[in-house]
Amino acid sequence: SPPEVQEKLRTSSRDTYRMVLAGAFDIPNLLEDQKSNGELSIVDARNIMHKVSLRMQDPEVLETVARRCNAASSVAMNDSPEAQQIELARKHTVVQEVMVEDVYLHSPEGGGSGGKSLVEECGFGEGEE
């Protein structure tokens, strides 16, 4: 039946994608981890995304992004397209670093998470691997 075929296609596409990621980023245990840990339900994935979005919107996180992006902008040498591309790349890097350091790995004092990082709170282990 079509729903069964769609599910098999979805599963095989997901496994293929994970296999490509495992090979591209040299993460040999990616597929084994998935098999041992299982999959997230849609509800769990939605709840995790909600937690991430709440952390991203935290005033301290937004202020950190603004402050660090302003510092990256002040280094711009001129208004040439190349300089603008470099500035944009710097700001992109700032956002990525803040996401990792202040959203995913930061352990807030107090709060509802009990001092756990978002990675720990969502059940993905402790910190970076």
Side-chain angles (χ1 to χ4, degrees):
S1 87
E4 292 169 350
V5 171
Q6 288 178 347
E7 180 61 19
K8 285 182 181 180
L9 182 60
R10 185 192 69 78
T11 303
S12 66
S13 296
R14 178 205 61 214
D15 291 344
T16 301
Y17 181 70
R18 286 184 177 148
M19 190 169 55
V20 169
L21 283 176
F25 294 103
D26 193 26
I27 311 171
N29 58 346
L30 183 65
L31 292 175
E32 291 80 24
D33 287 349
Q34 184 271 325
K35 289 176 186 172
S36 66
N37 294 336
E39 286 189 23
L40 289 172
S41 70
I42 291 173
V43 173
D44 289 340
R46 185 202 68 216
N47 290 338
I48 289 171
M49 288 306 301
H50 180 70
K51 289 178 183 182
V52 170
S53 68
L54 287 177
R55 288 262 179 110
M56 288 171 61
Q57 295 175 42
D58 184 271
E60 289 179 22
V61 171
L62 296 175
E63 183 61 35
T64 300
V65 170
R67 185 178 61 254
R68 290 179 60 185
C69 282
N70 285 337
S73 297
S74 66
V75 180
M77 297 175 201
N78 57 44
D79 289 334
S80 71
E82 294 82 14
Q84 290 176 354
Q85 286 294 334
I86 291 170
E87 180 180 350
L88 185 62
R90 286 183 183 149
K91 289 180 178 180
H92 183 83
T93 300
V94 165
V95 171
Q96 287 179 322
E97 289 172 351
V98 170
M99 284 294 297
V100 170
E101 296 166 7
D102 296 344
V103 173
Y104 294 116
L105 298 178
H106 178 71
S107 299
E109 302 298 323
S113 65
K116 291 183 178 180
S117 70
L118 189 59
V119 172
E120 290 177 278
E121 187 179 333
C122 294
F124 295 116
E126 296 180 15
E128 293 182 81
E129 285 190 11

mmCIF file of all heavy atoms in Angstrom, residues 52-62 103:
data_model
loop_
_atom_site.group_PDB
_atom_site.id
_atom_site.type_symbol
_atom_site.label_atom_id
_atom_site.label_comp_id
_atom_site.label_asym_id
_atom_site.label_seq_id
_atom_site.Cartn_x
_atom_site.Cartn_y
_atom_site.Cartn_z
ATOM 1 N N VAL A 52 14.952 24.780 21.794
ATOM 2 C CA VAL A 52 16.018 25.484 21.072
ATOM 3 C C VAL A 52 15.577 26.906 20.752
ATOM 4 O O VAL A 52 16.325 27.863 20.981
ATOM 5 C CB VAL A 52 16.408 24.722 19.781
ATOM 6 C CG1 VAL A 52 17.325 25.566 18.903
ATOM 7 C CG2 VAL A 52 17.072 23.400 20.114
ATOM 8 N N SER A 53 14.352 27.055 20.242
ATOM 9 C CA SER A 53 13.891 28.395 19.866
ATOM 10 C C SER A 53 13.779 29.307 21.088
ATOM 11 O O SER A 53 14.095 30.498 21.000
ATOM 12 C CB SER A 53 12.567 28.330 19.120
ATOM 13 O OG SER A 53 11.526 27.908 19.954
ATOM 14 N N LEU A 54 13.360 28.761 22.225
ATOM 15 C CA LEU A 54 13.301 29.578 23.442
ATOM 16 C C LEU A 54 14.686 30.050 23.860
ATOM 17 O O LEU A 54 14.869 31.213 24.238
ATOM 18 C CB LEU A 54 12.645 28.794 24.585
ATOM 19 C CG LEU A 54 11.145 28.584 24.487
ATOM 20 C CD1 LEU A 54 10.649 27.726 25.655
ATOM 21 C CD2 LEU A 54 10.410 29.916 24.461
ATOM 22 N N ARG A 55 15.678 29.156 23.797
ATOM 23 C CA ARG A 55 17.046 29.550 24.138
ATOM 24 C C ARG A 55 17.584 30.583 23.151
ATOM 25 O O ARG A 55 18.288 31.510 23.528
ATOM 26 C CB ARG A 55 17.977 28.343 24.167
ATOM 27 C CG ARG A 55 17.773 27.423 25.338
ATOM 28 C CD ARG A 55 18.787 27.702 26.458
ATOM 29 N NE ARG A 55 18.546 26.812 27.562
ATOM 30 C CZ ARG A 55 19.345 25.825 27.919
ATOM 31 N NH1 ARG A 55 20.457 25.597 27.252
ATOM 32 N NH2 ARG A 55 19.051 25.064 28.944
ATOM 33 N N MET A 56 17.255 30.394 21.860
ATOM 34 C CA MET A 56 17.741 31.335 20.850
ATOM 35 C C MET A 56 17.188 32.739 21.082
ATOM 36 O O MET A 56 17.848 33.723 20.780
ATOM 37 C CB MET A 56 17.338 30.869 19.448
ATOM 38 C CG MET A 56 18.092 29.673 18.956
ATOM 39 S SD MET A 56 17.403 29.000 17.421
ATOM 40 C CE MET A 56 17.588 30.389 16.327
ATOM 41 N N GLN A 57 15.969 32.820 21.610
ATOM 42 C CA GLN A 57 15.316 34.108 21.824
ATOM 43 C C GLN A 57 15.632 34.722 23.179
ATOM 44 O O GLN A 57 15.148 35.814 23.490
ATOM 45 C CB GLN A 57 13.805 33.943 21.679
ATOM 46 C CG GLN A 57 13.388 33.559 20.289
ATOM 47 C CD GLN A 57 11.901 33.287 20.210
ATOM 48 O OE1 GLN A 57 11.094 34.011 20.784
ATOM 49 N NE2 GLN A 57 11.525 32.236 19.510
ATOM 50 N N ASP A 58 16.449 34.050 23.967
ATOM 51 C CA ASP A 58 16.837 34.589 25.266
ATOM 52 C C ASP A 58 17.530 35.935 25.054
ATOM 53 O O ASP A 58 18.406 36.056 24.201
ATOM 54 C CB ASP A 58 17.776 33.596 25.964
ATOM 55 C CG ASP A 58 18.144 34.057 27.348
ATOM 56 O OD1 ASP A 58 19.154 34.785 27.472
ATOM 57 O OD2 ASP A 58 17.432 33.704 28.305
ATOM 58 N N PRO A 59 17.155 36.961 25.815
ATOM 59 C CA PRO A 59 17.763 38.281 25.622
ATOM 60 C C PRO A 59 19.295 38.282 25.715
ATOM 61 O O PRO A 59 19.956 39.008 24.965
ATOM 62 C CB PRO A 59 17.150 39.124 26.745
ATOM 63 C CG PRO A 59 15.850 38.451 27.051
ATOM 64 C CD PRO A 59 16.088 36.990 26.819
ATOM 65 N N GLU A 60 19.850 37.461 26.589
ATOM 66 C CA GLU A 60 21.318 37.409 26.701
ATOM 67 C C GLU A 60 21.952 36.856 25.427
ATOM 68 O O GLU A 60 22.995 37.337 24.985
ATOM 69 C CB GLU A 60 21.731 36.553 27.897
ATOM 70 C CG GLU A 60 21.441 37.192 29.235
ATOM 71 C CD GLU A 60 21.845 36.303 30.399
ATOM 72 O OE1 GLU A 60 22.691 35.408 30.217
ATOM 73 O OE2 GLU A 60 21.304 36.516 31.493
ATOM 74 N N VAL A 61 21.322 35.845 24.828
ATOM 75 C CA VAL A 61 21.841 35.268 23.586
ATOM 76 C C VAL A 61 21.754 36.292 22.459
ATOM 77 O O VAL A 61 22.720 36.496 21.713
ATOM 78 C CB VAL A 61 21.079 33.972 23.217
ATOM 79 C CG1 VAL A 61 21.445 33.492 21.823
ATOM 80 C CG2 VAL A 61 21.354 32.887 24.246
ATOM 81 N N LEU A 62 20.614 36.972 22.347
ATOM 82 C CA LEU A 62 20.447 37.976 21.301
ATOM 83 C C LEU A 62 21.439 39.122 21.482
ATOM 84 O O LEU A 62 22.005 39.623 20.499
ATOM 85 C CB LEU A 62 19.006 38.496 21.300
ATOM 86 C CG LEU A 62 17.935 37.462 20.957
ATOM 87 C CD1 LEU A 62 16.549 38.054 21.115
ATOM 88 C CD2 LEU A 62 18.140 36.910 19.561
ATOM 89 N N VAL A 103 23.674 28.482 23.125
ATOM 90 C CA VAL A 103 22.347 27.862 23.030
ATOM 91 C C VAL A 103 22.445 26.374 23.370
ATOM 92 O O VAL A 103 21.781 25.891 24.270
ATOM 93 C CB VAL A 103 21.720 28.077 21.637
ATOM 94 C CG1 VAL A 103 20.418 27.291 21.492
ATOM 95 C CG2 VAL A 103 21.470 29.562 21.395
#
